[in-house]
mmCIF file of all heavy atoms in Angstrom:
data_model
loop_
_atom_site.group_PDB
_atom_site.id
_atom_site.type_symbol
_atom_site.label_atom_id
_atom_site.label_comp_id
_atom_site.label_asym_id
_atom_site.label_seq_id
_atom_site.Cartn_x
_atom_site.Cartn_y
_atom_site.Cartn_z
ATOM 1 N N TYR A 76 19.040 -4.483 -5.943
ATOM 2 C CA TYR A 76 19.065 -5.766 -6.552
ATOM 3 C C TYR A 76 19.367 -5.684 -8.099
ATOM 4 O O TYR A 76 20.285 -6.243 -8.652
ATOM 5 C CB TYR A 76 17.756 -6.567 -6.382
ATOM 6 C CG TYR A 76 17.589 -7.803 -7.286
ATOM 7 C CD1 TYR A 76 18.181 -8.970 -6.857
ATOM 8 C CD2 TYR A 76 16.866 -7.732 -8.483
ATOM 9 C CE1 TYR A 76 18.019 -10.098 -7.664
ATOM 10 C CE2 TYR A 76 16.771 -8.899 -9.281
ATOM 11 C CZ TYR A 76 17.338 -10.092 -8.816
ATOM 12 O OH TYR A 76 17.178 -11.220 -9.602
ATOM 13 N N ALA A 81 21.738 -8.241 -10.158
ATOM 14 C CA ALA A 81 21.392 -8.520 -11.605
ATOM 15 C C ALA A 81 22.539 -7.843 -12.486
ATOM 16 O O ALA A 81 22.545 -8.178 -13.698
ATOM 17 C CB ALA A 81 20.038 -8.112 -11.987
ATOM 18 N N LEU A 138 9.749 -14.740 -9.949
ATOM 19 C CA LEU A 138 10.620 -14.602 -11.161
ATOM 20 C C LEU A 138 11.266 -13.220 -11.263
ATOM 21 O O LEU A 138 12.213 -13.010 -11.994
ATOM 22 C CB LEU A 138 9.834 -14.934 -12.441
ATOM 23 C CG LEU A 138 9.430 -16.406 -12.577
ATOM 24 C CD1 LEU A 138 8.487 -16.597 -13.819
ATOM 25 C CD2 LEU A 138 10.652 -17.302 -12.676
ATOM 26 N N TYR A 141 14.613 -13.589 -9.863
ATOM 27 C CA TYR A 141 15.504 -14.612 -10.429
ATOM 28 C C TYR A 141 16.398 -14.009 -11.523
ATOM 29 O O TYR A 141 15.839 -13.252 -12.385
ATOM 30 C CB TYR A 141 14.608 -15.689 -11.013
ATOM 31 C CG TYR A 141 15.377 -16.709 -11.877
ATOM 32 C CD1 TYR A 141 16.236 -17.662 -11.309
ATOM 33 C CD2 TYR A 141 15.282 -16.765 -13.261
ATOM 34 C CE1 TYR A 141 16.949 -18.655 -11.995
ATOM 35 C CE2 TYR A 141 16.004 -17.699 -13.997
ATOM 36 C CZ TYR A 141 16.774 -18.647 -13.387
ATOM 37 O OH TYR A 141 17.491 -19.541 -14.171
ATOM 38 N N VAL A 142 17.735 -14.195 -11.595
ATOM 39 C CA VAL A 142 18.540 -13.708 -12.597
ATOM 40 C C VAL A 142 18.621 -14.725 -13.704
ATOM 41 O O VAL A 142 19.097 -15.817 -13.542
ATOM 42 C CB VAL A 142 20.041 -13.417 -12.105
ATOM 43 C CG1 VAL A 142 20.805 -12.934 -13.118
ATOM 44 C CG2 VAL A 142 19.897 -12.436 -10.887
ATOM 45 N N PRO A 143 18.125 -14.370 -14.931
ATOM 46 C CA PRO A 143 18.006 -15.352 -16.094
ATOM 47 C C PRO A 143 19.497 -15.603 -16.594
ATOM 48 O O PRO A 143 20.405 -14.789 -16.447
ATOM 49 C CB PRO A 143 17.214 -14.600 -17.123
ATOM 50 C CG PRO A 143 17.347 -13.166 -16.774
ATOM 51 C CD PRO A 143 17.510 -13.095 -15.315
ATOM 52 N N PRO A 144 19.688 -16.830 -17.154
ATOM 53 C CA PRO A 144 21.077 -17.204 -17.597
ATOM 54 C C PRO A 144 21.474 -16.625 -18.912
ATOM 55 O O PRO A 144 22.165 -17.233 -19.731
ATOM 56 C CB PRO A 144 20.982 -18.772 -17.586
ATOM 57 C CG PRO A 144 19.510 -19.018 -17.944
ATOM 58 C CD PRO A 144 18.721 -17.883 -17.288
ATOM 59 N N PHE A 145 20.913 -15.454 -19.218
ATOM 60 C CA PHE A 145 21.349 -14.814 -20.534
ATOM 61 C C PHE A 145 21.410 -13.327 -20.219
ATOM 62 O O PHE A 145 20.874 -12.802 -19.303
ATOM 63 C CB PHE A 145 20.304 -15.074 -21.669
ATOM 64 C CG PHE A 145 18.871 -14.895 -21.238
ATOM 65 C CD1 PHE A 145 18.302 -13.561 -21.142
ATOM 66 C CD2 PHE A 145 18.080 -16.012 -20.888
ATOM 67 C CE1 PHE A 145 16.968 -13.492 -20.767
ATOM 68 C CE2 PHE A 145 16.754 -15.890 -20.466
ATOM 69 C CZ PHE A 145 16.295 -14.542 -20.457
ATOM 70 N N GLU A 146 22.160 -12.589 -21.100
ATOM 71 C CA GLU A 146 22.369 -11.149 -20.868
ATOM 72 C C GLU A 146 21.564 -10.268 -21.755
ATOM 73 O O GLU A 146 21.077 -9.269 -21.257
ATOM 74 C CB GLU A 146 23.913 -10.895 -21.157
ATOM 75 C CG GLU A 146 24.913 -11.567 -20.147
ATOM 76 C CD GLU A 146 24.747 -11.016 -18.766
ATOM 77 O OE1 GLU A 146 24.410 -9.767 -18.630
ATOM 78 O OE2 GLU A 146 24.985 -11.634 -17.785
ATOM 79 N N GLY A 148 18.598 -10.461 -23.000
ATOM 80 C CA GLY A 148 17.103 -10.233 -22.725
ATOM 81 C C GLY A 148 16.842 -9.900 -21.299
ATOM 82 O O GLY A 148 15.601 -9.965 -20.884
ATOM 83 N N LYS A 149 17.793 -9.567 -20.476
ATOM 84 C CA LYS A 149 17.574 -9.367 -18.960
ATOM 85 C C LYS A 149 16.576 -8.178 -18.816
ATOM 86 O O LYS A 149 15.657 -8.288 -17.960
ATOM 87 C CB LYS A 149 18.834 -8.961 -18.277
ATOM 88 C CG LYS A 149 19.659 -10.213 -17.779
ATOM 89 C CD LYS A 149 20.763 -9.701 -16.903
ATOM 90 C CE LYS A 149 21.559 -10.947 -16.415
ATOM 91 N NZ LYS A 149 22.746 -10.452 -15.473
ATOM 92 N N VAL A 150 16.722 -7.084 -19.480
ATOM 93 C CA VAL A 150 15.912 -5.997 -19.281
ATOM 94 C C VAL A 150 14.456 -6.260 -19.666
ATOM 95 O O VAL A 150 13.534 -5.989 -18.895
ATOM 96 C CB VAL A 150 16.355 -4.773 -20.200
ATOM 97 C CG1 VAL A 150 15.425 -3.505 -20.085
ATOM 98 C CG2 VAL A 150 17.779 -4.280 -19.757
ATOM 99 N N TRP A 152 13.174 -9.218 -19.537
ATOM 100 C CA TRP A 152 12.667 -10.193 -18.543
ATOM 101 C C TRP A 152 12.080 -9.448 -17.397
ATOM 102 O O TRP A 152 10.976 -9.691 -16.849
ATOM 103 C CB TRP A 152 13.892 -11.062 -18.136
ATOM 104 C CG TRP A 152 13.578 -11.928 -16.989
ATOM 105 C CD1 TRP A 152 13.609 -11.698 -15.624
ATOM 106 C CD2 TRP A 152 13.372 -13.395 -16.999
ATOM 107 N NE1 TRP A 152 13.423 -12.757 -14.905
ATOM 108 C CE2 TRP A 152 13.167 -13.878 -15.659
ATOM 109 C CE3 TRP A 152 13.236 -14.282 -18.044
ATOM 110 C CZ2 TRP A 152 12.947 -15.166 -15.289
ATOM 111 C CZ3 TRP A 152 12.943 -15.655 -17.689
ATOM 112 C CH2 TRP A 152 12.767 -16.061 -16.406
ATOM 113 N N TYR A 153 12.832 -8.472 -16.821
ATOM 114 C CA TYR A 153 12.417 -7.800 -15.533
ATOM 115 C C TYR A 153 11.289 -6.853 -15.837
ATOM 116 O O TYR A 153 10.371 -6.805 -14.979
ATOM 117 C CB TYR A 153 13.608 -6.997 -14.943
ATOM 118 C CG TYR A 153 14.656 -7.922 -14.346
ATOM 119 C CD1 TYR A 153 15.971 -8.042 -14.909
ATOM 120 C CD2 TYR A 153 14.380 -8.757 -13.294
ATOM 121 C CE1 TYR A 153 16.834 -8.868 -14.325
ATOM 122 C CE2 TYR A 153 15.277 -9.577 -12.717
ATOM 123 C CZ TYR A 153 16.534 -9.705 -13.228
ATOM 124 O OH TYR A 153 17.430 -10.533 -12.709
ATOM 125 N N ARG A 251 22.483 -14.065 -4.925
ATOM 126 C CA ARG A 251 21.319 -14.331 -5.747
ATOM 127 C C ARG A 251 20.413 -15.466 -5.144
ATOM 128 O O ARG A 251 19.193 -15.216 -5.198
ATOM 129 C CB ARG A 251 21.769 -14.779 -7.242
ATOM 130 C CG ARG A 251 22.454 -13.618 -7.948
ATOM 131 C CD ARG A 251 23.012 -14.081 -9.343
ATOM 132 N NE ARG A 251 23.530 -12.985 -10.133
ATOM 133 C CZ ARG A 251 24.140 -13.073 -11.258
ATOM 134 N NH1 ARG A 251 24.228 -14.282 -11.761
ATOM 135 N NH2 ARG A 251 24.570 -12.024 -11.926
#
Side-chain angles (χ1 to χ4, degrees):
Y76 168 81
L138 291 174
Y141 172 72
V142 180
F145 46 80
E146 291 295 329
K149 272 187 180 181
V150 176
W152 173 281
Y153 288 115
R251 291 175 174 177

